[in-house]
Amino acid sequence: GWGYETPLLYDMEEKEYIEDTVLEDFVKENFADRSSTPGRSYDLFLVSGGDDAIYLAGQTGIYRHVVGGSAMEQILDGSLSILGDPTCQIMDMLVVDNNEFVTLLTGEKMVRFVYDPNIPSRPDEKLQVWSLEDEAVIRQAISRYQTENPAVYVEYEIGLEGNSMTREDAIKNLNTRTMAGKGPDVMILDNMPTGSYIEKGILMDIAPLLDSMSGEDAVFPNVVDAFRQNGHVYTVPCGIQLPYLLGAKEDINKMTNLSDIVHVMGEMRKQNPGADLTRLSSPKGMMRVFALTSAPAWQTAEGALNKEAISDFLTQTKQMYDIQMDGLSEEAVQTWEADKEMYLSYQSMNGEDLEDSDEIRTRHQGLYIMGSTQQFAAGSLNNISEYNCQTSLSVTEGFENCKSIPMNGQCSNVFWARTLLGINASSENTDLAQNFIKTALSTAVQIDVEDNFPVTRKAILDNYAAQWRLYKDNDYVSGQGSTVDSDGNEVVLLIRVPDEAKVNELIQWIESMDTAYVEDKTFENVVYEEGSAYMEGTKSLEEAMNSIETRLGIYLAE
């Protein structure tokens, strides 16, 4: 259960707890970071197998253990079954005759697992998939692909698994293997030197594959075209996010670029002395949010450093930061520090700061505008649920004047490309790799993407069709969020499923985007580090830019 380091075993006859170090050590190693939705779904599910045997089930598979015994026997490999899909958590499970299992999963799925001695425990063919960090949507795709292709074993390698090496070391390790012809078949290219890979011919042209996917099942053409180079496409995102501004119409309609945002913030500060304008009270936090629609301008088409663009960005975001901090109340500063501490406590496994996280860009902002604890919001609209929240705000009494619009910075019409798929050009399994990418982009996977928007029109429409069935065509509230305003009163946002017109607006928003923001943490962190020194007054703009030019010159040369 959630809150317990290991399961507790209790002897009903002896009326005492049973100590089982084998079981405890196994759970600590394989299910340490787990949670549950009581009464609904579980990361780790236990069930009696009769006598002294118990079964443990979770994403990694089903295991049998005799209480007090020395072994944990894997009965079913989760990576070869639907259990490996993170969107399908266990709600209940029964052990039936002949070591068969009936499992109820989230998503209205019931699965029966049966042992077949004629099927090999590990398929002969192997497809290797590599990513720097664990990607939930890739696990979804692997589970689906494995089900549809039982003769192929998909091996998923995570470069930073276990935090045994740095990001740079993981990339160098991959590069060495790839140049030696021993690289993976499919590569997830987030925060990778994709431009260098394309230049060196490491990535396969997947334009023919993507162009062959037609109709509603096709990836949005504008998303594909944002990655097209002289007719070639070497990578495609498995999900996208939408940079946005949220607030009163008369304010955000004026925010057409960075300098306009600075001007409107200045007017807000005059009208709201001491108020928290953005809930971004650090230089890096401010830069990371507004980099969403500016970072694509920091390199030229040839891959060289665009010093003028970076200098302008630092100048503009420093003005934003200065306005935010000008006379900011002590209460707002304390709230920011508390937010950072709370986030760090949740991230105790990897120690990530709020400013370094995706959450600094994707926090649920509408509630804070309702509670008057910030004047406007900027960030990244990260999924369908968050779109539902924002459309609900504009139909909430007293907030009809609020709306969200695409954020423009140094670039316009920007989407954040996530989970970038690519194929190793030297792979001996390019047909299998292409089929894997088609699976990752299929409606079956895309409809359940949790942390991003789907990249196909059909997946979005099917997702909303399911919501309309479940929530009775917008007559039912699908959930709610709440916060406390400055006077201590609870503020509640009722979240409704948007109607067809609002869904079409979302699709039109996506279809109007033509510039891809692809995060490069190594590159951007140099800008943030030197930019923070400039904003805090320990370096002049010229000194910060000289350092950026030197440090990134070395990085780009590599």
Side-chain angles (χ1 to χ4, degrees), residues 7 21 51 87 104 110-112 186 197 205 269 334 343 352 386 391 450 480 505:
T21 57
D51 299 324
T87 65
L104 180 65
M110 183 177 286
V111 181
R112 178 166 165 260
V186 176
Y197 287 174
D205 180 13
R269 174 54 72 216
Q334 290 174 356
Y343 183 83
E352 183 180 57
E386 185 61 23
T391 55
E450 293 185 339
Q480 66 181 39
E505 284 182 21

Side-chain angles (χ1 to χ4, degrees), residues 352-370:
E352 183 180 57
D353 290 326
L354 178 60
E355 289 105 320
D356 295 318
S357 70
D358 285 351
E359 189 168 339
I360 195 67
R361 295 168 161 174
T362 61
R363 293 189 292 177
H364 181 56
Q365 306 274 26
L367 278 171
Y368 298 101
I369 289 177
M370 291 180 70

Side-chain angles (χ1 to χ4, degrees), residues 224-251:
V224 175
D225 288 342
F227 290 91
R228 204 179 293 271
Q229 303 178 19
N230 299 318
H232 305 293
V233 180
Y234 298 97
T235 184
V236 66
C238 199
I240 60 173
Q241 294 188 16
L242 302 172
Y244 72 91
L245 297 168
L246 173 68
K249 295 176 184 177
E250 60 269 22
D251 292 328

Side-chain angles (χ1 to χ4, degrees), residues 220-456:
F220 286 108
N222 55 300
V223 171
V224 175
D225 288 342
F227 290 91
R228 204 179 293 271
Q229 303 178 19
N230 299 318
H232 305 293
V233 180
Y234 298 97
T235 184
V236 66
C238 199
I240 60 173
Q241 294 188 16
L242 302 172
Y244 72 91
L245 297 168
L246 173 68
K249 295 176 184 177
E250 60 269 22
D251 292 328
I252 61 172
N253 283 341
K254 299 175 186 175
M255 297 180 175
T256 60
N257 53 41
L258 290 182
S259 59
D260 287 341
I261 295 172
V262 171
H263 176 73
V264 175
M265 285 181 66
E267 293 299 313
M268 285 181 176
R269 174 54 72 216
K270 292 177 185 177
Q271 297 168 16
N272 301 277
D276 198 335
L277 302 183
T278 63
R279 287 177 68 237
L280 297 169
S281 297
S282 76
K284 188 171 185 178
M286 189 71 73
M287 285 186 285
R288 283 205 70 226
V289 167
F290 289 98
L292 282 163
T293 54
S294 294
W298 297 350
Q299 287 179 259
T300 66
E302 294 75 30
L305 198 66
N306 188 336
K307 294 179 289 183
E308 292 75 15
I310 296 175
S311 177
D312 177 66
F313 177 79
L314 295 184
T315 301
Q316 303 275 16
T317 49
K318 183 181 188 305
Q319 290 177 328
M320 294 181 198
Y321 175 67
D322 289 344
I323 294 170
Q324 160 71 3
M325 301 305 294
D326 182 21
L328 186 65
S329 69
E330 184 61 29
E331 182 183 3
V333 174
Q334 290 174 356
T335 298
W336 169 255
E337 294 300 328
D339 285 349
K340 289 173 60 179
E341 289 181 16
M342 182 180 297
Y343 183 83
L344 191 60
S345 70
Y346 285 132
Q347 297 294 320
S348 58
M349 294 291 289
N350 58 26
E352 183 180 57
D353 290 326
L354 178 60
E355 289 105 320
D356 295 318
S357 70
D358 285 351
E359 189 168 339
I360 195 67
R361 295 168 161 174
T362 61
R363 293 189 292 177
H364 181 56
Q365 306 274 26
L367 278 171
Y368 298 101
I369 289 177
M370 291 180 70
S372 299
T373 51
Q374 73 182 86
Q375 301 305 303
F376 80 103
S380 184
L381 199 57
N382 60 330
N383 57 27
I384 284 174
S385 295
E386 185 61 23
Y387 182 72
N388 293 356
C389 292
Q390 292 199 6
T391 55
S392 296
L393 178 62
S394 63
V395 295
T396 298
E397 184 177 357
F399 296 92
E400 295 88 349
N401 193 41
C402 285
K403 74 170 187 176
S404 59
I405 63 171
M407 183 207 301
N408 290 328
Q410 292 176 301
C411 304
S412 57
N413 303 326
V414 179
F415 65 90
W416 184 2
R418 307 290 302 269
T419 315
L420 296 163
L421 304 164
I423 296 176
N424 186 348
S426 61
S427 167
E428 296 180 356
N429 301 307
T430 54
D431 288 343
L432 298 180
Q434 289 185 78
N435 285 335
F436 179 82
I437 288 183
K438 289 180 72 173
T439 298
L441 300 175
S442 68
T443 301
V445 171
Q446 288 287 310
I447 196 173
D448 286 328
V449 169
E450 293 185 339
D451 298 325
N452 300 296
F453 284 97
V455 294
T456 69

Side-chain angles (χ1 to χ4, degrees), residues 53-77:
I54 59 171
Y55 290 91
L56 290 76
Q59 194 175 102
T60 58
I62 299 176
Y63 304 84
R64 183 178 184 272
H65 175 66
V66 175
V67 177
S70 61
M72 298 292 304
E73 178 189 7
Q74 187 179 57
I75 304 296
L76 184 142
D77 188 340

